[in-house]
Amino acid sequence: MGRSSVTQHRVLDLTSRGGCCVRIAIYVRISDDASGVGRGVGRQRQDCLKLAEARGWTVVEVLEDNDLSAAGKLLRPGFERLLDLIVVGHIDGVVAWTWDRLERNRHDSLRLIDAGQRAGALIALVRGVDIDMSTPAGRLSADVLASVARHEIELKSDRQRRANAQLAAEGKKVGGRRSFGFNNDMTHRPDEADAVRWAYDQLLTQQSQGLIAHAWNSQGLLTPHGRRDGSPGHWRSDTLTRCLRKPMYAGLHTYKGQITGAAMWEPIVDEDTWRAAQAILGDPMRRTKRHPKALLHDVALCGTCNRPVTGGIAHLSRPNRIYRCRTQWHIGRKAEPIELLIVGTILDRLARRDAPDLLADCNRPHVPDALAEARRLRIRIDELADAYAVGKVTLSQMERATASMVHHLKQAERTMADATRVRLLAPLVHTNDVHGTWNLMPINEQRRVIGALLSIRILSTGPGMKKFDPASVEISWRQSATADGP
Ligand SMILES: [Zn+2]
């Protein structure tokens, strides 16, 4: 049988390739073959050897893969080696039993054809046509095969895209690995779901992400997928933040990074809790730093470019703590006099008899109202997009209306964030010893108090160190902090 298939084979014109000097590799692979023909590797190898012998080719290597159980997912070491041999020019061609022994998916097929074309290799099949990529006719066949392969990959990814869009429209999860708190089928994992609920509660009572991460780790609640090297993954404040930002916990569905509506699964926390937490997670003052930074780092702005300043050290006659512009050398000013001025301003205000007004003003925005307003606006924006989709409103009408609603939505969300100021300021307002309470506060909390009450611009005083002039620091009370004037 093997002999007859070899003799019937269309023989390559090898005069240009020097006959016996053609070096080839034989590639054999077991796979689940419905016909049962060619199932045995031994049989495939024998037929391939006969073909090579009949052509007078030198067999450099016999490569073998067994991917019966791999369902096309695992790397094929033999196939990868084959591509390497072709690319580096150690072989002139490949002999295989049939084309489907060589390719397992269209992607592999494309890689083989690309490698073969670049090296001008030949592919000879016991059952099938020869493709000699050193000839125009061979390259044409390879091009056709490659086009077909590419076309099939495109069709497949298009099918996948449409299937994903369909899942999204139905409020089902689109692919991906399981998230903390959920099983793969989006049912809850009770212990993790409890931990998620607890984490949102902690966040809303001003606990830092670092402390929440630490609590999860010490209870043995680790990240669901571990690290790349297979070791268990401990939570850090950044991974925890990413986790708690996921809309899926509020039962919200996303597609391509956008919230698309209610999901099919049971939420772990209600949407209001989740929204309020996002206002806190999005608060740049809350970004935890490993080391305490200078008091006004990221809090005050450069008077020239209005970007947040950074704390640093300048070496003059001796090292001086300074604040400087982050991006350019707009300013470089001694830190201590500025800090004394700012802390003095804040503590004076907090020591005044009308200090509780700072809280009264923060209390005024009614959080439940703001949440309801935000929800109403989000629904309205969705409705508008739908109306545009079916042609009920024009693009410019939709854009105009959406812009104003997004503006109001941001205001409502800011109101929710303002509510957190109450918790921040309360201990300073309800004390007889403002200075003592302030001095006991961790520097990160002091920074947040300053950021909540004041906006500060540090102006340039030109080159050289000068006597400190308080007018060179522009201080204004934030709108909701003014009450009846500081
Ligand atoms: Zn600047």
Side-chain angles (χ1 to χ4, degrees), residues 301-309 324-331:
L301 305 177
C302 162
T304 307
C305 66
N306 284 324
R307 291 195 176 102
V309 296
R324 60 180 171 77
C325 172
R326 169 158 313 183
T327 42
Q328 295 167 56
W329 201 260
H330 290 145
I331 53 162

Side-chain angles (χ1 to χ4, degrees), residues 306-320:
N306 284 324
R307 291 195 176 102
V309 296
T310 181
I313 303 285
H315 295 271
L316 301 165
S317 50
R318 58 194 171 92
N320 275 285

Side-chain angles (χ1 to χ4, degrees), residues 69-132:
S69 55
K73 293 271 185 201
L74 291 180
L75 205 65
R76 289 184 290 165
F79 183 76
E80 297 302 320
R81 167 112 182 112
L82 180 69
L83 292 182
D84 285 348
L85 289 174
I86 294 173
V87 170
V88 300
H90 282 177
I91 54 174
D92 306 305
V94 188
V95 176
W97 206 69
T98 54
W99 182 258
D100 66 15
R101 292 302 99 170
L102 275 170
E103 76 154 305
R104 184 189 39 179
N105 54 50
R106 289 296 175 182
H107 182 66
D108 283 354
S109 175
L110 203 53
R111 290 170 67 209
L112 176 65
I113 290 166
D114 278 351
Q117 257 180 338
R118 270 187 286 149
L122 64 88
I123 297 171
L125 303 171
V126 174
R127 298 237 170 132
V129 293
D130 286 348
I131 304 163
D132 182 351

Side-chain angles (χ1 to χ4, degrees), residues 224-295:
H225 304 291
R227 282 211 282 266
R228 255 172 239 269
D229 60 7
S231 62
H234 287 89
W235 292 99
R236 294 186 321 239
S237 60
D238 59 335
T239 49
L240 183 99
T241 300
R242 266 203 299 281
C243 172
L244 296 180
R245 281 218 172 118
K246 289 181 180 174
M248 64 166 63
Y249 292 122
L252 293 171
H253 193 275
T254 53
Y255 182 57
K256 293 186 172 176
Q258 297 294 315
I259 294 176
T260 49
M264 294 287 286
W265 57 83
E266 202 61 40
I268 290 182
V269 294
D270 60 69
E271 190 179 338
D272 294 351
T273 302
W274 183 82
R275 295 271 178 205
Q278 301 319 298
I280 292 172
L281 290 170
D283 178 359
M285 296 297 292
R286 238 189 115 76
R287 265 178 225 145
T288 44
K289 294 267 158 48
R290 218 166 274 270
H291 305 291
K293 295 276 186 185
L295 191 65

